[in-house]
Amino acid sequence: PTSGFTHLSPQGDGVTMVDVGAKTTTRRVAMARSVVIFPPEVMKEFDIRGSGIGVDRGMVSKSEMVGPKGPIFETARLAGIMGAKRTSELIPLCHPLPLDKVHIDIQLVGNHAIIECECRVTHKTGVEMEALMGASIAALTIYDMVKAVSHRVEIGKTILVNKSGGKRNVVGGNEQ
């Protein structure tokens, strides 16, 4: 009865790490998105720099919130990268992956911080858990850095936006 669940034993009474040894190595990419919603008191308290719109020295300008602990979004980017790299240490049945790249973008849109984490690997198993972990850890870091002003900060939906390179693909949050 558990044939569709790759992490369960055939009897359904135990868990197992999926054997990926016979799978083909392919380039795999995944992007996840998390949203952090700030109440008005947070928006008033922190210095907001950049609009996320326009071009600055050939690069898209980035939004940044700065507070007493320093640059909030830049700290969250670093934490998200670190989180993505440590996914297999926190999620018991994830394979440790030698990530080729982790990129985290954070834009402030109104009172929402939109976090996107893209992970890439050339391996036998997908990288979506690493992308979800990176986006989630970045969101938690933002919360940690603004909680002194308000605990009404909300971590909203975290979703897998895109996934490619494996048996199943996801585009725009929908399986293909």
Side-chain angles (χ1 to χ4, degrees):
T2 61
S3 61
F5 296 103
T6 58
H7 287 85
L8 291 178
S9 67
Q11 297 76 30
D13 59 356
V15 295
T16 184
M17 190 173 197
V18 174
D19 182 356
V20 297
K23 287 179 137 187
T24 303
T25 298
T26 60
R27 178 167 173 78
R28 294 160 184 266
V29 179
M31 182 189 297
R33 180 181 301 130
S34 286
V35 178
V36 179
I37 305 159
F38 302 111
E41 59 270 25
V42 169
M43 298 302 293
K44 289 177 191 169
E45 184 70 25
F46 292 96
D47 182 20
I48 298 175
R49 300 177 185 167
S51 63
I53 300 170
V55 176
D56 181 23
R57 284 176 271 150
M59 297 177 65
V60 175
S61 59
K62 293 182 179 178
S63 304
E64 182 59 88
M65 289 179 75
V66 180
K69 293 183 178 183
I72 295 165
F73 292 170
E74 195 58 32
T75 304
R77 282 183 194 91
L78 183 57
I81 291 168
M82 292 172 68
K85 289 168 51 175
R86 299 187 75 162
T87 300
S88 67
E89 295 176 32
L90 298 172
I91 300 178
L93 301 177
C94 279
H95 292 82
L97 295 178
L99 296 173
D100 297 330
K101 181 168 178 75
V102 178
H103 176 78
I104 297 184
D105 183 59
I106 304 173
Q107 294 295 323
L108 187 62
V109 179
N111 69 327
H112 291 64
I114 311 297
I115 304 159
E116 291 186 335
C117 177
E118 180 183 78
C119 294
R120 298 179 193 170
V121 70
T122 304
H123 209 273
K124 297 179 176 194
T125 189
V127 72
E128 62 267 31
M129 295 309 298
E130 288 72 11
L132 289 160
M133 178 71 79
S136 297
I137 294 297
L140 287 166
T141 300
I142 291 170
Y143 184 97
D144 178 56
M145 293 189 74
V146 303
K147 72 180 189 272
V149 172
S150 176
H151 285 95
R152 293 188 325 119
V153 174
E154 179 182 332
I155 297 176
K157 185 168 32 173
T158 297
I159 62 167
L160 179 65
V161 177
N162 295 312
K163 168 186 165 332
S164 64
K167 187 166 57 174
R168 297 178 316 194
N169 291 325
V170 173
V171 178
N174 299 307
E175 271 198 63
Q176 302 292 302

